[in-house]
Amino acid sequence: MTVHSDELYQQVILEHNKHPRNFRVLSSCTHEAEGYNPLCGDHLNVYLKVTPEGVIEEVSFQGDGCAISKASASMMSVALKGKTVAEAKALFDEFRKLIMKEVDPAEPSAQLGKLSVFSGIWKYPSRVKCAILAWHTMKGALDERKVVSTE
Amino acid sequence: MASFDIDKVRKDFPNLRTHGRDDKPIIYFDNAATTFKPCQVISSTHSHYCHRTANIHRGVHYLSEQATASYEASREKVRRFLNAKSMSEIIFTKGTTESINLVASSFARKRLKHGDEILLSEMEHHANIVPWQMVREETGCVIKVIPINDNGEIMLEEYRKLLSAKTKIVSVVHVSNSLGTINPVREMIKDAHAAGAVFMLDAAQGIACEPIDVQEWDVDFLAFSGHKLYGPTGVGVLYGKERLLESMPPYQGGGDMILSVTFEKTIYNRLPHKFEAGTPNVAGVIALGEAIDYVRALGWENMMAYKNELLSYGTRQIQTVPGLKLIGTSPHKTTIFSFVLDGIHPHDVGTLMDREGVAIRTGHHCTQPVMKRFGIAATSRASLAFYNTTGEFDTFVTALKKIIEVFK
Ligand SMILES: Cc1ncc(COP(=O)(O)O)c(C=O)c1O
């Protein structure tokens, strides 16, 4: 299959799906939440360890889902490490805007970095929820909501 | 097969010529969700709204009388299609879901008492689970589940063990939308009756699979949707034995379901109108009649023989895909192929299939208990109709193998 820049299943995504980063339970976490996508049964837990100063020291996740949701969670975990809670929430907003096509997908915000591989997903409305599940769950954890659903 | 000219049949379905993503011609393998409609059905709807719009049972003018006659003619077509005894037994609803809810509400809710039992199978669609749970909430009745085996078949011995004097209703799917299994419903109906229970059949899928004879089968209630029988969405049927329907209170109140209304007392209309409150889907009912005519003209024998060929060809071909596991392997099944691929989530399969122009369904197919039974979250499902071809199946299998490569 040829890989176009707007293609959903880019190497980065396939690679993160195959070898997800930070794919484990974080027993020393300070925040955690469970995310669920009732449409497809995707299910994951996000764990965060936040310092008293509000810096995200560690992020991990565990669960079951499609390549898009798994890669998205994996890449999120990498992106958030070392960020402050406020920065994490701001990044969530940027990411959401990108995949909902609220900003021009051809010019993703620089902060998104590698996360801009998801810029073509708006063409697959039924898959947008897969990409955002981990992010909603992360935000839910920070907001002290234990269970998050994409519906 | 001389009597089944697939090229000619395909010409009847304009949707088969639609192009999808990247302008690829669509291969439509999502017929268990809804079927395409033949020209005859489409033009019936078109001409109804162009030339014959009118409400029914309400006017003495020409158009209304014509519409009423066509609407009732459809009822007669359904009666004949199911071989029901009388037109009074054919109620038009908006689909399977509403038909089941009607029975749950007007029949079960009134009759069931605390401790009475409803039997459902493990392979039911949510539409045949949730309405009964609502009955349970109100009556305190008990829902018992008939288990299925590893092939995705109802375990008849277990069913018989569950039947008792407490069983008041058995409601089971005729053909499973997520497994493809065709259930031995005639036997099951006999067993239910022997225990004194009423039997409801969810024929949402079955209606397009094999001829149903409600009298010979002796089924008490049966539900189906027009849109899975090459007819329009928004119309369906509840068949019920006259004696049972007579004994039931109306489902909804409104126009058409009454004989006379005063603020002191209302007299309900006769069957079947008692259960058809308000203006029904007139155009939809008439078009459903056309769909039934289409199926009859094609002939069950031809259609079933052709689909059986598709089934055995498909079953052979799909097993050449490495790491593929079929979910639903009963020898008694229809052209539904539910499967999981090693290490690849069904949603990724669905999206990549779509890129190849093949429309399949992925997910739990509104049958979460089946997913739980097989220890999976979802399956990919290809469901074929009589207008699909072995050539299309080859394209699908090639695409599957390509997807596996992507994930290697
Ligand atoms: C077995 C079965 N039962 C019930 C239904 C519900 O049908 P509808 O949504 O047309 O009411 C479906 C269709 O999705 C089905 O496949």
Side-chain angles (χ1 to χ4, degrees), chain B residues 75-87:
Chain B
R75 200 188 304 277
E76 169 58 18
K77 289 177 189 180
V78 174
R79 185 204 65 74
R80 219 167 4 122
F81 194 61
L82 299 175
N83 191 33
K85 210 180 272 173
S86 139
M87 274 165 74

Side-chain angles (χ1 to χ4, degrees), chain B residues 393-404:
Chain B
F393 206 88
D394 291 340
T395 307
F396 162 71
V397 169
T398 307
L400 273 178
K401 291 178 177 166
K402 211 160 148 185
I403 289 167
I404 291 170

Side-chain angles (χ1 to χ4, degrees), chain B residues 20 22 44 47 69 102 132 143 170 185 194 211 213 217 231 246 267 280 303 361 364 374 382 391:
Chain B
D22 303 333
S44 156
S47 82
L102 195 162
W132 306 112
I143 294 175
V170 178
V185 287
D213 184 326
W217 295 19
E246 281 293 1
I267 301 171
M303 216 160 44
R361 168 105 187 251
H364 52 59
F374 285 92

Side-chain angles (χ1 to χ4, degrees), chain A residues 1 4 6-9 14 17-18 36 38-42 65-68 123-125 127, chain B residues 21 343 345 347-352 354-356 362-364 368 377-378 402-403 406-408:
Chain A
M1 269 186 186
H4 306 290
D6 67 2
E7 184 115 37
L8 206 48
Y9 293 89
L14 292 171
N17 172 52
K18 215 168 181 180
Y36 182 53
L39 185 71
C40 45
D42 285 353
C66 62
I68 303 297
K123 289 182 195 162
Y124 302 85
R127 304 305 301 279
Chain B
R21 243 182 252 284
H345 193 281
H347 279 94
D348 300 317
V349 178
T351 297
L352 287 164
D354 179 54
R355 296 200 72 129
E356 299 297 313
T362 58
H364 52 59
Q368 283 182 335
K402 211 160 148 185
I403 289 167
V406 170
F407 278 85
K408 265 238 163 83

Side-chain angles (χ1 to χ4, degrees), chain B residues 332-382:
Chain B
H332 308 287
K333 64 176 281 195
T334 187
T335 42
I336 288 179
F337 303 89
S338 233
F339 60 92
V340 288
L341 288 176
D342 255 355
I344 310 180
H345 193 281
H347 279 94
D348 300 317
V349 178
T351 297
L352 287 164
M353 259 312 156
D354 179 54
R355 296 200 72 129
E356 299 297 313
V358 187
I360 61 166
R361 168 105 187 251
T362 58
H364 52 59
H365 319 293
C366 298
T367 56
Q368 283 182 335
V370 172
M371 301 299 123
K372 189 163 172 233
R373 164 66 178 75
F374 285 92
I376 50 184
T379 74
S380 304
R381 179 188 74 187

